[in-house]
Amino acid sequence: MNLYAQLQKIFGYSSFRTNQEEIVKAILARRDSFAVMPTGGGKSLCYQLPASIMDGTCLVVSPLISLMKDQVDAATAFGMKAGLLNSTLSSSQQFEVLTRLQGGHYDLLYLSPERLALPGFLERLKTAPLSFVAIDEAHCISEWGHDFRPDYLALSALKHELPGLPITAFTATATHRVQEDIIHRLALHQPLMTRASFDRPNLFYQVQLRDQVNDQIEAVVAAHPDEAGIVYRLSRADVEKTAAWLQKRGVKALPYHAGLDNMVRNRNQEAFNRDEAQVVVATVAFGMGIDKSNVRFVIHGDLPKSMEGYYQETGRAGRDGEPALCLLLYSRGDYPRLKFFIDQLTDERERKAGLTQLGRMLNFAEQPVCRRRAVLHYFDEQYGPDNCGACDICMHGVQTVDATTHAQMISSAIYRTEGRFGASHIVDIVCGAKTARIIDLGHDRLKTYGVGKDKSKRFWRNIIDRMLSQGLLISVGAPYPLLRITTTGEEVLFGREKFITHHIVEEKRNTGSLAKASADELPYDPQLFSLLRQLRYDMAKKAEVPPFVLFSDKSLRQMSSFMPQTPEALFQIHGVGQTKLEQYGQPFLESITSYLANHPEVIPQEMPESSVPMHTQPRMKKSSGAETLDATWQLIEAGLGLDEIAARRGLKSSTIATHIGELLQQGKAVLMDRFVDQQVQAEMSALFAKHGFSRLKPVVDAMEGRAGYDQAHMVRGLLISQGWTKEGGSNDESA
Ligand code: ADP
Ligand code: ZN
């Protein structure tokens, strides 16, 4: 069995991700495995691929009933036989599924852990043809984990009741203690152990001070029109406020929190899943049930409680591997607010752990080190490169500044008001604000009043935050903390020490600009992309599945870059396997072909050499782009002219011209003089040499009406087939 061929044929991927191949091979060898993989790491493929090869059914144990249908839909779209068994089915449906299972009908059967716990169920499985068991979210079996589910304990009986059936356990979060616990409880036998890196290279991490939270959020949303995003807020009230704010500005945003009616919550989640709502504003209650792969940004409007949470939540961005933005907005004031909640915990151990977690989170937000390095450090991973190329620190840089005078202004205001006020009042004094409180207290007569009015409130808040994090100040009391000067702070106040701090250089205050996460990002045609996106939406609606089940954003982006017009070419696109090609390919090919016909000036990017072995070349039942090219070629060979071919085929002549260009590039010997006047060929060749081959427009413009795009397509094809583009020199200089 050629695994790579199978990978290409079913999933349309050309390579495995970290550890996938090892795990697949272990399963095929009927060995137990234990895999730690970050969200988006590609767990499903690890069991779906062997399930497609092995005899019998793979049981997939998954805790989230709400996700099962999407998982089944996704597997079915890949051409696998998948079913589910949970309490949402009627008893006759359940009976039917069980009968099919006995009959060996499924490659995959998704079931909930409760199901396995039902009396007699394991007994029934003994007679079913099974291949192996895959356990998702395996940490739910451990009381040491953060998400213990008693139902999972039933899985402990699997090894005993069904000896010889291999088990693969997956988790995205596992400390060593949880890890040992999982292996012990499942009684895994000498399992293959893998742990993938927690690095998510396509995520851009950014941290910003919060001032006008809704404005800041809106700026990001506005910079990602038509792109899905999640906004996390700490409180339900803030969720509602932010959602309403965005709605008022015309954004399709929906709220999600535990206070909403179950039905409303499910409806909102579903709308988001199906690309009907652009943004979900949610508390952390939102997430476990989200499988959507094309989330392009995740914003935290408040400081999360732990790095673990931050990582999981940001991890929901960019699961398709395409660039995505993770923006954390925070203010120092979040710390006392969160600490206040943690202080309410009665369990001493929990309280301590909570505070440690919060402290690490705050450090992350405040320290001027590469965010990626810091995230990975949390998971005990060393990050190699000096510059990650995808975080605010690495991209914008950090500047050291001497802020001694500023610190003195702040601490002098605190000093003169005897440490009886909080940050916002101190900022008001320094900025010379005319609030009722200032007037009442006579603080407008203080010597420090208004000394910093040339700077914004945000600036002074920032200085206070820095002074807090560097130990010049402490805040005491909650939930309305007061600022006090520490002994270190006094050293600075009385001029015996300097206060050196840093700030992140931001070229412009634009949270929206999503930096390119990878240097080799493909240029693509946004207009075609949005057409294909609409097509995907319409087709998904008809098929009653979420759009990302059809093709991921990454697939669409490649399509709008390489613009494949034949099934062979479409099969080269990331995420296009045999079944998807057959079921959904044709409308996409048609859409691309007609787009090209209507936009003669557009030139597709050249597709890199195929890595697909010949025997996995696609089959396609219906009439297709390959046949279309073939048909054109036959008419050319029969000696017909451009317009005749077009008429005969019922296509536009511009389409035939692009066919000829493509046939030439494929190395077909088309006699050019039949289609383009020799003089025009010569002139155009010179123009291409001058302007480069990446655009037709400059060439056609320079011809001043003596020839058009049709001719340009054909001449370009001829020149490329003759190897002109490889001469370098003038290549692409026109762009
Ligand atoms: P998780 O580990 O969170 O369950 P998934 O299995 O949903 O992750 O996979 C995340 C995304 O990665 C999916 O969109 C999937 O199509 C993609 N993916 C998985 N394996 C590969 C691969 N080998 N090459 C390219 N994309 C992959
Ligand atoms: Zn970095």
Side-chain angles (χ1 to χ4, degrees):
M1 166 60 63
N2 181 336
L3 278 187
Y4 280 85
Q6 191 77 355
L7 181 68
Q8 178 72 49
K9 179 169 163 253
I10 297 188
F11 299 98
Y13 303 148
S14 50
S15 58
F16 284 105
R17 290 210 183 134
T18 320
N19 296 342
Q20 283 181 329
E21 186 171 6
E22 266 182 284
I23 297 167
V24 168
K25 284 185 171 160
I27 295 176
L28 290 173
R30 307 191 61 80
R31 180 175 172 192
D32 288 346
S33 349
F34 174 81
V36 180
M37 239 185 214
T39 319
K43 261 177 314 186
S44 358
L45 187 140
C46 295
Y47 57 81
Q48 288 177 344
L49 185 55
S52 75
I53 296 172
M54 292 163 84
D55 290 334
T57 301
C58 161
L59 299 180
V60 186
V61 181
S62 163
L64 292 158
I65 292 181
S66 61
L67 267 189
M68 276 183 199
K69 189 174 169 299
D70 284 354
Q71 286 174 321
V72 168
D73 286 343
T76 310
F78 283 124
M80 308 188 38
K81 293 201 197 91
L84 59 79
L85 192 55
N86 64 34
S87 51
T88 64
L89 300 188
S90 69
S91 45
S92 69
Q93 284 171 322
Q94 295 187 18
F95 180 78
E96 196 178 321
V97 170
L98 284 169
T99 315
R100 287 189 180 179
L101 173 67
Q102 290 294 347
H105 172 83
Y106 296 116
D107 297 320
L108 294 159
L109 183 65
Y110 289 84
L111 36 87
S112 54
E114 302 88 285
R115 178 63 40 172
L116 284 168
L118 291 182
F121 188 74
L122 281 179
E123 205 52 44
R124 282 193 86 145
L125 286 182
K126 285 184 183 170
T127 54
L130 301 178
S131 51
F132 65 101
V133 183
I135 299 173
D136 206 0
E137 316 283 355
H139 57 273
C140 295
I141 202 174
S142 170
E143 281 165 283
W144 303 111
H146 57 83
D147 203 15
F148 173 62
R149 290 170 184 239
D151 286 329
Y152 260 68
L153 291 175
L155 300 177
S156 300
L158 272 174
K159 258 289 165 220
H160 185 69
E161 294 292 322
L162 300 163
L165 190 65
I167 297 180
T168 299
F170 295 94
T171 174
T173 48
T175 62
H176 290 283
R177 186 178 205 175
V178 174
Q179 183 166 323
E180 271 162 35
D181 204 26
I182 296 173
I183 292 168
H184 171 73
R185 285 184 188 263
L186 292 175
L188 298 187
H189 177 66
Q190 298 183 346
L192 167 80
M193 307 272 287
T194 62
R195 190 182 176 93
S197 166
F198 277 63
D199 186 18
R200 301 281 310 277
N202 59 318
L203 301 188
F204 189 103
Y205 296 103
Q206 183 169 17
V207 180
Q208 258 189 6
L209 281 176
R210 182 177 69 226
D211 52 358
Q212 299 297 326
V213 67
N214 287 333
D215 283 337
Q216 287 171 291
I217 291 170
E218 197 200 336
V220 177
V221 177
H224 295 88
D226 290 338
E227 294 188 335
I230 305 174
V231 177
Y232 284 106
R233 300 295 328 254
L234 185 61
S235 72
R236 294 174 190 182
D238 283 338
V239 164
E240 295 287 354
K241 269 189 227 154
T242 297
W245 171 282
L246 290 173
Q247 284 165 0
K248 223 162 143 195
R249 278 152 189 82
V251 178
K252 285 189 202 151
L254 293 172
Y256 187 104
H257 57 71
L260 289 172
D261 184 72
N262 231 338
M263 250 201 13
V264 177
R265 243 184 329 162
N266 288 342
R267 203 170 57 213
N268 291 358
Q269 167 163 345
E270 193 67 353
F272 181 61
N273 236 353
R274 292 178 190 251
D275 287 353
E276 275 152 20
Q278 187 195 351
V279 177
V280 162
V281 187
T283 58
V284 291
F286 183 73
M288 266 289 256
I290 203 75
D291 229 3
K292 193 177 165 76
S293 71
N294 57 347
V295 175
R296 296 270 73 88
F297 60 91
V298 168
I299 305 173
H300 282 89
D302 312 83
L303 191 72
K305 292 194 189 96
S306 69
M307 285 294 286
E308 183 87 46
Y310 174 72
Y311 181 79
Q312 293 302 330
E313 284 135 30
T314 52
R316 286 167 195 137
R319 290 171 69 148
D320 52 9
E322 290 286 276
L325 173 71
C326 305
L327 173 67
L328 165 59
L329 299 172
Y330 96 104
S331 132
R332 245 288 162 155
D334 290 347
Y335 182 78
R337 197 150 63 109
L338 287 163
K339 182 172 178 296
F340 179 76
F341 289 118
I342 295 171
D343 283 338
Q344 315 299 308
L345 293 172
T346 45
D347 184 316
E348 169 79 22
R349 229 186 44 187
E350 265 179 50
R351 195 169 56 233
K352 271 210 176 124
L355 283 177
T356 312
Q357 293 284 5
L358 182 59
R360 293 195 71 167
M361 190 64 227
L362 187 69
N363 272 343
F364 171 81
E366 292 192 330
Q367 280 177 358
V369 297
C370 166
R371 314 287 181 198
R372 176 161 277 102
R373 176 180 301 275
V375 165
L376 292 176
H377 178 75
Y378 179 82
F379 292 106
D380 295 326
E381 245 183 73
Q382 283 283 344
Y383 184 70
D386 284 337
N387 187 313
C388 80
C391 82
D392 52 354
I393 304 278
C394 291
M395 295 312 279
H396 304 161
V398 177
Q399 220 170 45
T400 315
V401 284
D402 182 344
T404 309
T405 324
H406 298 132
Q408 285 170 336
M409 291 178 180
I410 292 287
S411 31
S412 147
I414 298 172
Y415 191 73
R416 286 169 201 279
T417 52
E418 294 157 353
R420 286 184 290 116
F421 297 90
S424 61
H425 188 73
I426 297 296
V427 169
D428 281 347
I429 296 177
V430 173
C431 289
K434 288 194 177 58
T435 67
R437 196 142 174 259
I438 295 257
I439 310 291
D440 286 351
L441 293 162
H443 285 169
D444 52 343
R445 293 193 303 273
L446 290 173
K447 206 165 151 240
T448 351
Y449 181 76
V451 287
K453 60 168 172 279
D454 59 322
K455 295 259 189 309
S456 68
K457 283 193 178 183
R458 182 166 183 257
F459 174 88
W460 291 109
R461 263 322 259 258
N462 191 0
I463 291 288
I464 292 180
D465 284 352
R466 301 269 171 242
M467 292 173 75
L468 281 163
S469 73
Q470 288 176 236
L472 274 63
L473 303 176
I474 48 164
S475 67
V476 293
Y480 302 110
L482 312 175
L483 292 177
R484 298 273 163 80
I485 305 170
T486 63
T487 41
T488 320
E490 283 175 356
E491 295 296 291
V492 175
L493 175 60
F494 300 117
R496 293 190 289 266
E497 286 284 345
K498 279 185 177 315
F499 175 54
I500 306 295
T501 185
H502 65 269
H503 76 107
I504 297 163
V505 186
E506 290 171 31
E507 302 94 318
K508 49 185 177 351
R509 227 197 114 212
N510 178 9
T511 54
S513 70
L514 170 58
K516 286 205 305 187
S518 61
D520 54 6
E521 203 185 316
L522 267 183
Y524 67 97
D525 187 319
Q527 205 185 338
L528 178 57
F529 181 79
S530 91
L531 277 174
L532 297 181
R533 202 169 173 276
Q534 183 63 41
L535 176 63
R536 172 178 70 178
Y537 176 81
D538 295 339
M539 288 174 68
K541 202 166 175 94
K542 228 182 271 164
E544 296 185 341
V545 297
F548 61 85
V549 163
L550 262 66
F551 293 118
S552 68
D553 279 11
K554 182 168 184 164
S555 304
L556 295 195
R557 218 172 301 266
Q558 285 198 358
M559 289 183 207
S560 13
S561 179
F562 302 127
M563 310 186 191
Q565 290 180 268
T566 65
E568 289 77 13
L570 186 56
F571 195 54
Q572 307 291 314
I573 297 289
H574 172 96
V576 182
Q578 184 66 46
T579 305
K580 287 194 182 175
L581 180 70
E582 283 170 12
Q583 286 203 324
Y584 307 116
Q586 194 59 30
F588 284 85
L589 288 173
E590 279 164 15
S591 186
I592 293 168
T593 304
S594 95
Y595 180 78
L596 281 170
N598 292 321
H599 295 83
E601 74 289 357
V602 169
I603 303 178
Q605 294 288 313
E606 217 164 309
M607 207 180 283
E609 288 278 306
S610 157
S611 55
V612 187
M614 280 313 286
H615 61 271
T616 62
Q617 289 296 315
R619 295 167 276 119
M620 190 105 169
K621 286 169 247 142
K622 279 176 60 182
S623 108
S624 66
E627 287 168 22
T628 239
L629 269 186
D630 265 359
T632 301
W633 173 234
Q634 276 166 20
L635 295 175
I636 293 173
E637 284 198 310
L640 270 61
L642 192 65
D643 294 333
E644 288 171 297
I645 300 177
R648 186 77 74 87
R649 301 219 43 210
L651 295 170
K652 290 189 186 175
S653 61
S654 60
T655 306
I656 303 300
T658 56
H659 285 177
I660 294 177
E662 196 151 316
L663 287 164
L664 279 161
Q665 286 185 54
Q666 288 179 5
K668 292 272 199 298
V670 180
L671 241 191
M672 197 56 145
D673 296 0
R674 270 171 49 200
F675 299 101
V676 186
D677 182 90
Q678 278 196 348
Q679 173 64 25
V680 170
Q681 282 185 46
E683 275 184 61
M684 280 193 160
S685 302
L687 287 167
F688 273 118
K690 177 158 175 247
H691 294 287
F693 292 87
S694 60
R695 290 168 64 213
L696 299 176
K697 194 164 184 304
V699 172
V700 174
D701 286 352
M703 291 300 290
E704 294 175 330
R706 275 167 292 131
Y709 284 105
D710 290 359
Q711 285 86 351
H713 268 294
M714 293 187 275
V715 173
R716 180 177 175 273
L718 180 68
L719 296 176
I720 290 174
S721 75
Q722 294 171 348
W724 273 51
T725 51
K726 301 203 174 64
E727 310 280 87
S730 59
N731 229 356
D732 288 353
E733 48 80 64
S734 65

